[in-house]
Amino acid sequence: MVTANPKTQVTVGVLALQGAFIEHMHMLRSIPSVKDIIAVRTKEQLASVDCLIIPGGESSAMALIAERCGMLQPLRDFVRNKPTWGTCAGMIMLADEATSTKKGGQELLGGLRICVNRNQFGSQKDSFTTDLHFPSILGDKQPFKAVFIRAPIITKILDEENVEILCRLEAKVGNTDAETIVAVRQQHLMATAFHPELTPDNRLHQYFVHLALQYQ
């Protein structure tokens, strides 16, 4: 629940089981409203943070490591109640449904009422950068230069009443149409298909911290 008198600073956790967690931690250091940054690897560390970023990486490997170290259920419980932002693989982890998963499927944290398609754009060599606009949260003028690396897309919104579309592709990329959804918010949950931590632009990190403050 959003509080009327939120705190002025938050402790941000970055899930550090696998993937690009260090880059997120570096980006967060530039934001005054961040009190502390914790690389989360244990249940105890997870319990100590106000909000969480799930980074890009390999979603199936991330899920397997989380399961083996007893973190899967604590993470599921956390994302149901506390602000969480999933980027790239993190978006897959937050999704309620995923397609193009590896044989046998994979564990998801769920909670975010979307369906995603893994590796929509192909392999590592098909990575690209493109300008995107987030009019509802960043304004219309300055684009955000988004880095897509083996990125997913959102193929379906499963709860149109509660899931807000933040951003769509602005041009066709390969076989992926313009207007494809690549960022959403559902109350305390946020997801982006790309890697915002790989740019010098910290505006999305600032927005997530602002969002987290509203839920303290």
Side-chain angles (χ1 to χ4, degrees):
M1 176 180 288
V2 178
T3 59
N5 298 296
K7 296 191 296 186
T8 58
Q9 288 188 309
V10 287
T11 296
V12 183
V14 182
L15 190 63
L17 302 179
Q18 192 268 346
F21 58 91
I22 292 174
E23 291 84 352
H24 277 290
M25 296 178 76
H26 288 324
M27 184 71 79
L28 289 164
R29 291 191 182 104
S30 67
I31 301 174
S33 298
V34 174
K35 179 180 179 181
D36 198 9
I37 307 161
I38 295 177
V40 173
R41 297 185 176 91
T42 67
K43 293 182 286 186
E44 293 74 21
Q45 290 169 330
L46 183 63
S48 72
V49 302
D50 298 311
C51 57
L52 183 69
I53 295 175
I54 305 175
E58 173 52 59
S59 61
S60 56
M62 201 179 297
L64 184 61
I65 296 167
E67 187 173 24
R68 286 178 176 175
C69 65
M71 283 286 286
L72 205 54
Q73 191 57 49
L75 283 165
R76 284 175 174 152
D77 293 340
F78 186 98
V79 306
R80 291 325 188 262
N81 299 292
K82 292 194 174 184
T84 306
W85 176 17
T87 66
C88 196
M91 183 172 85
I92 297 169
M93 293 289 288
L94 284 180
D96 274 353
E97 298 178 12
T99 56
S100 300
T101 59
K102 292 186 176 180
K103 187 176 181 180
Q106 71 175 77
E107 295 283 359
L108 302 172
L109 301 180
L112 184 54
R113 300 288 293 138
I114 60 173
C115 179
V116 301
N117 188 55
R118 294 174 77 250
N119 296 342
Q120 168 73 20
F121 301 97
S123 66
Q124 191 95 2
K125 67 180 177 59
D126 299 308
S127 301
F128 65 96
T129 301
T130 188
D131 284 349
L132 300 175
H133 288 82
F134 290 75
S136 66
I137 63 173
L138 301 182
D140 291 318
K141 293 182 180 179
Q142 185 179 353
F144 190 96
K145 196 165 288 295
V147 180
F148 287 77
I149 303 172
R150 297 181 63 207
I153 60 165
I154 298 167
T155 56
K156 188 175 182 181
I157 303 293
L158 303 176
D159 182 352
E160 294 184 357
E161 183 176 346
N162 290 303
V163 177
E164 176 189 1
I165 297 171
L166 298 179
C167 183
R168 298 173 183 265
L169 282 180
E170 298 178 15
K172 185 173 182 179
V173 179
N175 294 320
T176 304
D177 291 335
E179 297 298 312
T180 295
I181 304 167
V182 292
V184 294
R185 175 186 166 185
Q186 176 190 302
Q187 298 166 337
H188 64 287
L189 301 177
M190 176 174 159
T192 52
F194 51 90
H195 286 263
E197 77 283 2
L198 299 182
T199 78
D201 190 338
N202 73 355
R203 286 179 296 156
L204 286 177
H205 287 79
Q206 289 187 62
Y207 174 76
F208 176 67
V209 170
H210 174 74
L211 172 67
L213 281 166
Q214 295 177 17
Y215 281 85
Q216 304 310 306

